[in-house]
Amino acid sequence: MTMIVFLLCLAAFVAIGLASVRKAQASKKDYYLASSSVHPAMAGLSAVATNNSGYMFIGVIGFTYATGLAAIWLMIGWILGDFLASLFIHRRLREVTEASGQVSFAAVVAKWSGQDFGLWRKIAAVIAVLFLGAYAAAQIAAGGKALQGVLGWTPQTGAIISAALILAYSAVGGIRASIWTDAAQSLVMVFAMTLLLVVAVTGRGGLDATYGEMAAIPGFLNLFPDDLLFPGFLGMALFVVGWMFAGLSVIGQPHVMVRFMALNAPQDMAAARGWYYGYFTLFYALATGVGMMSRLYLPDLGALDPELALPTMAVELLPAALVGVILAGIFAATMSTADSLVLACSAAITSDLAGGRIQKPWIMKAVTAGVTLLALMFALGESRSVFSLVILAWSTLACAFGPLMIVQALGRRLTQPAAIALMLGGVGLALGWRMMGWQDQVYEGLPGILIPTLIGLAISRKATAATAAPGIPAPAETPAAKAGA
């Protein structure tokens, strides 16, 4: 029964994705941006489903299993940082997308202030392809871990199935297929997480009994971790601010931000944010709760692989049919992100590395298929933690794109050499921080974004209407700049 329910859910996802082909147009803008016609609800739900990837089902729950209540700061910091950045980035990004006529994330950022950073754009595309590809491999690997935990299949089998499904609709329908399936997958994701949390708490005798069991685990209900880099208030502040920068890092994720680039109109951004943050808060809270409950049901899992906590607990608590729903929810999360990642890679290759010369739809679809297969090959040979691999890719992309976006969104203008230096410096800082092993105390995106941003603001000059390219208004003239939206 588990297998039947699981396959039915997957068939529904693929059918929804393929159904989107009926609205497809034979153009690059339609394939990568759905002709900028996406409804705010669809944009918001798709963005949050893409953001809440397999790492939420697999990585965050595993991290919460090991950390306890202190993992809640991932949720608080992440959502707060994400929201603050959205107040001055998202609408401006949509405006520049429309004015520039570009379809790739890097191309829009390169033309943000009316300039054309050709060399920066190509370097950015290389970074995007490398780390988005690694990120996609992590999502495919997460799907394999889910099947391993529920059905006992090898992770390789699950990875192949996940890649095949992604290929079935993302290569055919482009971003519209991805957005349509994201909306359906988001509903399955939140239903699956709610179901498991309610059953888990009920099974321990209710909230009071559950709290008593958690309190008996040494340090599990501590509000802050014990192994902070610095003691006292300073250590706690850095820990929280670090995760705020993890949330702010969303602005540097091409696969998430493209949802807002595809929005029907810039003035719809507030509505899209409402859908996005409402769902995000609910789902993250559910995931944290399930992660804490998994520690009670699976006390010995830490010696094996905490990232198998969710599928293992589902098998232990739920009837076979509902286990199929949980498994479908995990797969929905991995696919909603992985298909977005391969499309973002495809856009970087066809629009940025190829200089925009590729216009034929069949070539764009072939590139998407090739990226999917390469990600699968990497997933089959990669044994690192899903959580660690996702955070590495996430922080590197954020440090590559975030500083320049923030500087430009604040109405400042940089030269191309300075923009390249900020990008490479941010990436170097993030990778160096991780090599030193400091990422467990302070998220590497904090120095990797903050330091280049401050340098960029110091060396930049104010952008004006006179310096903006035709069709691209200066930041001070846009509604986003005037209204803070």
Side-chain angles (χ1 to χ4, degrees), residues 57-81:
F57 271 91
I58 300 296
V60 163
I61 289 178
F63 181 77
T64 305
Y65 176 99
T67 305
L69 182 61
I72 196 174
W73 292 108
L74 272 73
M75 178 183 77
I76 295 172
W78 197 298
I79 294 176
L80 181 59

Side-chain angles (χ1 to χ4, degrees), residues 255-345:
H255 59 294
V256 178
M257 298 304 290
V258 72
R259 268 75 186 146
F260 300 109
M261 290 166 59
L263 190 62
N264 184 54
Q267 56 265 32
D268 291 335
M269 191 62 69
R273 282 205 305 258
W275 284 95
Y276 177 80
Y277 292 108
Y279 183 101
F280 199 172
T281 302
L282 172 63
F283 188 72
Y284 216 139
L286 291 170
T288 301
V290 169
M292 295 186 69
M293 292 304 301
S294 67
R295 182 69 174 268
L296 302 183
Y297 281 93
L298 306 168
D300 299 323
L301 189 63
L304 300 174
D305 187 352
E307 292 190 345
L308 294 177
L310 176 62
T312 305
M313 191 166 70
V315 171
E316 181 173 318
L317 294 180
L318 300 176
L322 294 181
V323 172
V325 175
I326 296 293
L327 186 56
I330 299 173
F331 251 73
T334 61
M335 289 191 299
S336 67
T337 300
D339 59 15
S340 307
L341 290 162
V342 298
L343 283 167
C345 282

Side-chain angles (χ1 to χ4, degrees), residues 34 122 127 136 155 161 187 228 253 267 321-322 325 337 340 364 380 382 461:
K122 290 188 180 297
I127 293 173
I161 293 174
L187 300 178
L228 295 172
Q253 311 306 313
Q267 56 265 32
L322 294 181
V325 175
T337 300
S340 307
M364 292 183 281
L380 293 176
E382 179 59 48
R461 56 191 177 90

Side-chain angles (χ1 to χ4, degrees), residues 71-456:
I72 196 174
W73 292 108
L74 272 73
M75 178 183 77
I76 295 172
W78 197 298
I79 294 176
L80 181 59
D82 188 347
F83 175 74
L84 292 175
S86 77
L87 295 178
F88 66 98
I89 293 288
H90 291 49
R91 180 164 177 166
R92 176 65 177 156
L93 177 69
R94 174 62 182 83
E95 291 169 343
V96 177
T97 299
E98 181 174 347
S100 68
Q102 299 297 316
V103 300
S104 78
F105 178 75
V108 173
V109 176
K111 293 179 177 290
W112 191 292
S113 295
Q115 299 159 276
D116 188 2
F117 292 159
L119 179 59
W120 179 94
R121 181 176 170 182
K122 290 188 180 297
I123 298 172
V126 171
I127 293 173
V129 169
L130 288 175
F131 287 95
L132 287 172
Y135 197 164
Q139 299 310 305
I140 293 173
K145 283 194 173 189
L147 283 182
Q148 178 188 18
V150 175
L151 301 177
W153 292 1
T154 65
Q156 291 78 15
T157 300
I160 292 171
I161 293 174
S162 182
L165 292 171
I166 292 165
L167 186 60
Y169 63 81
S170 64
V172 175
I175 193 69
R176 183 178 286 104
S178 177
I179 290 174
W180 282 27
T181 53
D182 283 352
Q185 288 163 353
S186 66
L187 300 178
V188 176
M189 288 160 58
V190 77
F191 174 76
M193 200 69 83
T194 302
L195 173 68
L196 191 54
L197 182 60
V198 170
V199 171
V201 173
T202 303
R204 306 307 287 198
L207 292 174
D208 289 341
T210 297
Y211 177 83
E213 289 191 62
M214 290 182 179
I217 303 174
F220 194 66
L221 293 183
N222 288 354
L223 194 55
F224 291 94
D226 296 326
D227 56 346
L228 295 172
L229 184 63
F230 299 101
F233 177 79
L234 177 60
M236 292 187 293
L238 285 174
F239 181 76
V240 176
V241 172
W243 284 110
M244 285 182 61
F245 271 83
L248 183 146
S249 297
V250 171
I251 62 173
Q253 311 306 313
H255 59 294
V256 178
M257 298 304 290
V258 72
R259 268 75 186 146
F260 300 109
M261 290 166 59
L263 190 62
N264 184 54
Q267 56 265 32
D268 291 335
M269 191 62 69
R273 282 205 305 258
W275 284 95
Y276 177 80
Y277 292 108
Y279 183 101
F280 199 172
T281 302
L282 172 63
F283 188 72
Y284 216 139
L286 291 170
T288 301
V290 169
M292 295 186 69
M293 292 304 301
S294 67
R295 182 69 174 268
L296 302 183
Y297 281 93
L298 306 168
D300 299 323
L301 189 63
L304 300 174
D305 187 352
E307 292 190 345
L308 294 177
L310 176 62
T312 305
M313 191 166 70
V315 171
E316 181 173 318
L317 294 180
L318 300 176
L322 294 181
V323 172
V325 175
I326 296 293
L327 186 56
I330 299 173
F331 251 73
T334 61
M335 289 191 299
S336 67
T337 300
D339 59 15
S340 307
L341 290 162
V342 298
L343 283 167
C345 282
S346 176
I349 293 170
T350 61
S351 296
D352 300 320
L353 292 179
R357 292 186 295 272
I358 296 176
Q359 298 293 333
K360 295 182 178 179
W362 73 267
I363 298 180
M364 292 183 281
K365 294 176 181 181
V367 171
T368 302
V371 171
T372 304
L373 294 176
L374 287 174
L376 172 61
M377 292 173 59
F378 187 74
L380 293 176
E382 179 59 48
S383 61
R384 294 181 62 176
S385 160
V386 169
F387 185 82
S388 297
L389 188 56
V390 167
I391 291 296
L392 174 62
W394 184 275
S395 60
T396 304
L397 290 167
C399 297
F401 296 114
L404 180 59
M405 293 180 72
I406 294 171
V407 169
Q408 294 186 131
L410 293 176
R412 309 296 296 180
R413 183 181 172 96
L414 289 163
T415 64
Q416 179 167 243
I420 293 173
L422 291 187
M423 177 170 61
L424 297 181
V427 171
L429 275 169
L431 295 179
W433 194 270
R434 182 163 281 266
M435 288 177 61
M436 295 300 294
W438 296 337
Q439 72 278 2
D440 291 334
Q441 278 70 35
V442 178
Y443 168 65
E444 63 264 27
L446 192 158
I449 296 174
L450 182 60
I451 294 175
T453 298
L454 293 176
I455 293 174

